[in-house]
Amino acid sequence: MPLLIKNGEIVTADSRWHGDIYVEDETIARLGQNLDAAPGAEVIDAAGKLVFPGFIDPHVHIYLPFMATFAKDTHATGSVAALIGGTTTFIEMCCPSRGEDALAGYLLWKSKADGNSACDYAFHMSVTRFDRQTQGQLRKIVADGTASFKVFLAYKNFFGIDDGELYEVLALARELGVIVTAHCENADLVAQLQQSLLAQGKTGPEWHEPSRPESVEAEGTNHFASFLEITGAAGYVVHLSCAGALDAALRARRRGVKIHVESVLPHFLLDKSYAERPGVEGMKHVMSPPLRDKRNQAVLWDALAAGSIDTVGTDHCPFDIEQKLLGKDAFTQIPNGIPGLEERVNLLYTYGVKAGRINLHRFVDAASTRAAKLFGLFPRKGAIAVGADADLVIYDPAYRGTVSAATQHTNNNYNGFEGVPIEGRPSVVTVRGRVQVKDGVFVGDKSRGCFLKRNPSFF
Ligand SMILES: [Zn+2]
């Protein structure tokens, strides 16, 4: 059924105007003023609302075996949570472990999502081992439309690769025109510091941050940048958390290294004091890189406003309270991760746009358009333009609410942002022209989501 969205204030990464959007056959067919609807078309009045391109979360974990357990969401729960929060596409980390076969892992991840997602999705393929067989498999995976890799400098012996493998992955990525996303913490430093702290009887969650301090991330970022420089590959630092790491990335960028930066929502809003709370309250906020000293927040916001931080993702990774308690005797056993897929857009709007830290265009760019461009989805996604997919978020800036586990759709029994007020939320969310969400309620098709094939970008 055609859809006409009337009288909205349409805001993209680079334009803002009042008008109508006419949707036919899953895509935007016309833009203009006073458009007429065909008989039978669904008409939505967006007066007083903002209309954004569907938001893209470039970094989520849905299916994830990790640290002796599994993250809590399924594609069914995670995709509905995403849509209620205005995210119409996410890019999931496909993460087979070092001992597993890459192609078998890729097919397993795809099968988990297939037919079970309400929003569109793509994958970053993690390369957790590099050998001849894996190289051949990666070529097949890229040909299948998964045109980005992920590497871990951290999580030694599980996801992590060594420097020789890192060089080989980047050389292959350069050849194939594939961007490589990277978790940048020096694994050996982390392992040494963890052992040293545990040996001193320092076992609580408050020791997680000191086991992977800012310098460990700055070193990892610099390390990754050096390898990008030498191989000529394009890279993307995931969940950058602190000034030192940002400095390393920007120094590399200034000398011509193709390096892009993502930060995730918790690092803008929460600081390490959350993980220093006693017992399980602290464990809820254990993630890597860890929550940092508060002084980093202003640095991240400024870099986001300037566009030096390209994107804001979540690293959504829900483990519940019972799972977090696996680490009650040692912080090294706490499953790392915090949810946020559902809250990202509303929190970034409230504490970024409404608080005057970023403008509306940078907001759309950081939460949608820039990720679409970096990962080969633009202009199909991340744009309001004729021919683009009709993934649209009609946003109600007058809404007032509070984040709470009691009302969330993510499958978890806590929320890291519990009690935080929000100003604004999606009123209507569409996926390729179909209304999926109305005022916080999922009303659509639970298997609407498609796997998005992406072409290499050749940066
Ligand atoms: Zn992650």
Side-chain angles (χ1 to χ4, degrees):
M1 178 168 58
L3 172 68
L4 176 64
I5 298 169
K6 289 192 71 68
N7 307 316
E9 185 173 1
I10 297 162
V11 183
T12 71
D14 52 16
S15 67
R16 183 172 182 170
W17 54 285
H18 282 85
D20 305 345
I21 301 173
Y22 191 71
V23 174
E24 231 171 12
D25 299 330
E26 304 197 350
T27 59
I28 296 171
R30 271 184 289 157
L31 296 168
Q33 258 93 26
N34 305 313
L35 297 181
D36 290 322
E42 182 175 3
V43 180
I44 297 173
D45 183 9
K49 309 261 189 354
L50 301 163
V51 185
F52 299 124
F55 293 100
I56 299 169
D57 191 333
H59 183 171
V60 307
H61 300 273
I62 305 294
Y63 173 68
L64 183 67
F66 184 47
M67 294 181 83
T69 187
F70 289 84
K72 293 299 285 187
D73 269 323
T74 61
H75 288 84
T77 59
S79 64
V80 166
L83 285 169
I84 286 179
T87 292
T88 53
T89 294
F90 57 62
I91 310 182
E92 181 181 358
M93 295 293 176
C94 171
C95 292
S97 66
R98 192 168 171 80
E100 290 172 328
D101 183 82
L103 185 59
Y106 177 67
L107 296 173
L108 173 66
W109 255 261
K110 264 186 99 174
S111 74
K112 295 281 176 189
D114 188 24
N116 297 317
S117 183
C119 68
D120 284 351
Y121 57 93
F123 296 99
H124 299 298
M125 182 64 207
S126 297
V127 185
T128 52
R129 185 184 69 224
F130 194 90
D131 52 26
R132 252 189 105 73
Q133 186 192 352
T134 307
Q135 185 191 93
Q137 293 180 338
L138 291 170
R139 290 178 187 276
K140 283 186 192 147
I141 290 165
V142 171
D144 187 57
T146 289
S148 49
F149 295 155
K150 164 80 180 281
V151 293
F152 293 87
L153 277 58
Y155 303 123
K156 210 178 175 184
N157 301 326
F158 191 71
F159 291 141
I161 53 174
D162 67 30
D163 281 349
E165 292 172 305
L166 177 60
Y167 180 89
E168 299 280 356
V169 175
L170 293 175
L172 179 67
R174 165 85 205 258
E175 180 201 326
L176 298 177
V178 163
I179 189 169
V180 179
T181 71
H183 179 138
C184 296
E185 290 180 298
N186 183 301
D188 290 302
L189 283 172
V190 172
Q192 294 293 339
L193 291 171
Q194 284 179 334
Q195 291 320 310
S196 156
L197 289 163
L198 289 177
Q200 296 167 55
K202 295 172 173 172
T203 58
E206 71 275 25
W207 298 104
H208 176 70
E209 201 277 342
S211 78
R212 38 213 322 149
E214 294 176 24
S215 55
V216 161
E217 189 188 346
E219 200 287 325
T221 306
N222 187 55
H223 194 88
F224 180 55
S226 301
F227 276 68
L228 291 175
E229 185 166 17
I230 286 163
T231 57
Y236 175 97
V237 177
V238 296
H239 50 42
L240 182 139
S241 75
C242 62
L246 180 67
D247 199 46
L250 296 185
R251 267 188 285 119
R253 192 183 283 175
R254 279 196 295 273
R255 62 178 193 266
V257 178
K258 290 173 274 185
I259 189 166
H260 301 274
V261 175
E262 166 198 278
S263 289
V264 295
L265 200 71
H267 291 301
F268 290 96
L269 299 179
L270 308 175
D271 61 68
K272 67 179 183 179
S273 68
Y274 285 81
E276 289 166 350
R277 295 174 179 182
V280 77
E281 286 307 310
M283 294 179 196
K284 288 176 181 177
H285 294 95
V286 167
M287 50 188 278
S288 295
L291 294 174
R292 298 300 191 191
D293 188 285
K294 206 173 176 55
R295 71 182 152 71
N296 289 289
Q297 289 175 3
V299 176
L300 296 186
W301 281 116
D302 286 350
L304 181 64
S308 353
I309 291 176
D310 294 275
T311 60
V312 176
T314 57
D315 198 10
H316 177 79
C317 194
F319 292 106
D320 68 13
I321 289 171
E322 195 184 8
Q323 291 173 310
K324 289 283 182 181
L325 285 168
L326 291 168
K328 65 181 183 333
D329 299 323
F331 68 86
T332 51
Q333 306 301 315
I334 303 168
N336 283 202
I338 185 171
L341 178 55
E342 190 168 348
E343 294 79 29
R344 177 184 67 125
V345 169
N346 294 336
L347 289 171
L348 190 61
Y349 181 79
T350 304
Y351 296 96
V353 177
K354 297 282 287 207
R357 292 175 170 128
I358 56 173
N359 70 39
L360 262 181
H361 301 295
R362 187 75 258 277
F363 163 72
V364 173
D365 189 41
S368 176
T369 308
R370 189 78 66 103
K373 288 179 174 170
L374 287 171
F375 296 117
L377 292 167
F378 189 84
R380 180 177 175 192
K381 305 292 190 189
I384 295 182
V386 171
D389 278 359
D391 299 346
L392 297 162
V393 175
I394 303 177
Y395 200 79
D396 180 5
Y399 176 81
R400 296 292 179 271
T402 305
V403 175
S404 173
T407 51
Q408 74 188 2
H409 299 80
T410 297
N411 185 31
N412 204 357
N413 55 10
Y414 81 95
N415 190 301
F417 302 97
E418 186 70 35
V420 173
I422 50 169
E423 301 185 8
R425 77 164 178 187
S427 165
V428 175
V429 180
T430 70
V431 174
R432 285 174 282 107
R434 161 130 195 181
V435 174
Q436 293 283 69
V437 169
K438 276 190 177 162
D439 296 321
V441 179
F442 185 81
V443 296
D445 171 359
K446 290 198 166 168
S447 53
R448 177 74 173 163
C450 279
F451 167 67
L452 301 170
K453 280 181 176 289
R454 298 176 290 129
N455 290 321
S457 292
F458 292 101
F459 287 77

